[in-house]
Amino acid sequence: MFKYIVKKILMMIPMLVLISMIVFFGLQLTGIDPINFMVSPEVLSANKDNVDALRESLGLNDPVIVQYFRWLGNCLKGDFGYSFDGASISSILAVRMPYTLELAGYSLVLSAILGIGIGILSAIRQNGIIDYVGRVLAVLGQAVPQFLLGIVLIQIFAIKLGWFPSGNRVSPDAANPFIDAVQHLFLPVLTLTIGMVAVLMRYTRNTMLDILNSDYIKTARSKGIPEWKVYLKHGFRNAMKPVLVIVVFRIPMLIGGSVVIESVFSYPGIGLTMTNAIVSGDYPVVLVTTLIVAAVMLVCSFMIDVFNALLDPRVRLSE
């Protein structure tokens, strides 16, 4: 198992380097000049010698490949540089990253509880009201795009009913910061949760039905074991292994989906930071945030591989 984990970690390194190269050289092709953001047009035209000296001091006259390795080396040392407005990118990440992890974490826990719970009830009460309602909601949850769902929730709960704020993370004049934070989190968490609940609900239901129709469940019932014990001990426990794999599989999608949701709700996480940087052409921030999101996605994929290997030894033996 140790060799398997080390091998997966070593595979992540060239993937991260490749992603960083694609993003760095891709942004270079856009023709964005950092000097245009640092110096006013009047200074550009009046002090060309000083501007050239500034460009030379920043290393912008060096070959692109030299600039890339300089930037990558600084990132490895923890120096992510500065945005075009002069803010330290490290300080931006320190503030924004916990917000994104908070949003994804709450959504993961809530969707796992609801999706697995409703899926089990749908399987136990097959073709009942809960089952029919759950199946309809599952189809709708997967069919409706998350950004559209977020806009609809804002229209209903924020604008028409006024129950929840439509954006941001906290209110500056909040009397109770905790309650205020919960109110701001509710709609974006709900938006991310609905799509994942739909997937987990359908998968849990189908897995539970397969197990409840298996021979060993029929044998357990024939021995007179109470029905609740059949569901809990024999059905639920065996159905959870593949369902938990799906839960872990959804983590990268939650991180990726938060980029869109943060933009819809103006939620100040990494996703919104990246979107604003792309719109404003602040490519140092785009570089670092893209690399961070890619790293998180790779770590999640690594967790999935390890989790699969723990559940099924054949996975690591086949590597």
Side-chain angles (χ1 to χ4, degrees):
M1 187 65 186
F2 177 75
K3 291 182 179 179
Y4 178 83
I5 293 176
V6 172
K7 181 180 178 180
K8 289 297 179 181
I9 293 175
L10 292 177
M11 289 175 61
M12 291 169 57
I13 297 174
M15 293 178 67
L16 267 177
V17 173
L18 179 60
I19 292 171
S20 67
M21 291 179 67
I22 292 173
V23 176
F24 186 91
F25 292 111
L27 287 174
Q28 291 293 326
L29 293 175
T30 62
I32 297 175
D33 189 355
I35 298 297
N36 293 332
F37 293 86
M38 299 177 180
V39 181
S40 65
E42 294 79 8
V43 175
L44 279 175
S45 59
N47 299 282
K48 292 184 179 180
D49 292 338
N50 292 337
V51 172
D52 291 339
L54 176 61
R55 188 185 300 276
E56 182 67 28
S57 66
L58 294 175
L60 298 177
N61 292 332
D62 295 335
V64 177
I65 190 68
V66 175
Q67 295 183 43
Y68 166 74
F69 281 108
R70 183 193 302 124
W71 169 78
L72 184 62
N74 290 334
C75 287
L76 293 176
K77 292 186 293 185
D79 179 11
F80 296 114
Y82 294 85
S83 66
F84 285 158
D85 61 6
S88 169
I89 297 179
S90 298
S91 63
I92 294 174
L93 293 177
V95 174
R96 302 297 180 89
M97 179 60 80
Y99 290 161
T100 296
L101 296 178
E102 179 183 49
L103 179 60
Y106 287 143
S107 301
L108 179 66
V109 173
L110 184 60
S111 59
I113 294 172
L114 293 177
I116 293 173
I118 298 174
I120 291 173
L121 290 176
S122 296
I124 294 175
R125 305 297 182 188
Q126 186 181 11
N127 298 325
I129 295 177
I130 295 178
D131 187 26
Y132 283 123
V133 173
R135 284 153 66 182
V136 171
L137 293 178
V139 172
L140 291 176
Q142 289 182 277
V144 179
Q146 285 186 331
F147 75 89
L148 179 59
L149 179 61
I151 293 173
V152 171
L153 292 178
I154 289 175
Q155 288 289 332
I156 296 175
F157 293 103
I159 297 177
K160 292 189 178 297
L161 298 177
W163 291 354
F164 300 98
S166 61
N168 295 322
R169 174 64 177 77
V170 291
S171 300
D173 56 347
N176 190 320
F178 175 76
I179 295 177
D180 182 71
V182 171
Q183 290 175 333
H184 280 82
L185 272 169
F186 184 82
L187 291 182
V189 168
L190 179 62
T191 305
L192 275 175
T193 298
I194 288 175
M196 188 170 176
V197 164
V199 175
L200 285 177
M201 186 193 313
R202 295 185 66 180
Y203 194 85
T204 303
R205 176 186 180 275
N206 294 337
T207 304
M208 193 73 176
L209 283 176
D210 289 340
I211 290 176
L212 292 179
N213 292 326
S214 60
D215 292 337
Y216 71 88
I217 292 293
K218 295 176 182 177
T219 302
R221 284 173 171 158
S222 66
K223 292 181 178 179
I225 296 176
E227 198 70 11
W228 68 268
K229 199 170 185 178
V230 171
Y231 290 139
L232 184 63
K233 184 176 180 180
H234 299 281
F236 175 76
R237 187 171 64 181
N238 291 296
M240 281 306 96
K241 290 182 179 179
V243 171
L244 288 177
V245 173
I246 297 298
V247 172
V248 180
F249 262 109
R250 301 300 294 182
I251 296 176
M253 298 182 184
L254 280 176
I255 300 296
S258 65
V259 175
V260 177
I261 298 305
E262 287 176 10
S263 300
V264 172
F265 289 94
S266 298
Y267 188 83
I270 292 296
L272 183 61
T273 302
M274 182 192 299
T275 303
N276 291 339
I278 292 173
V279 172
S280 63
D282 195 347
Y283 83 76
V285 178
V286 176
L287 279 172
V288 175
T289 52
T290 304
L291 190 64
I292 293 295
V293 171
V296 172
M297 301 280 275
L298 287 176
V299 170
C300 292
S301 298
F302 166 74
M303 292 170 55
I304 293 170
D305 292 336
V306 172
F307 192 71
N308 276 329
L310 289 173
L311 292 178
D312 189 354
R314 294 173 297 177
V315 174
R316 60 177 182 266
L317 292 176
S318 64
E319 291 289 332

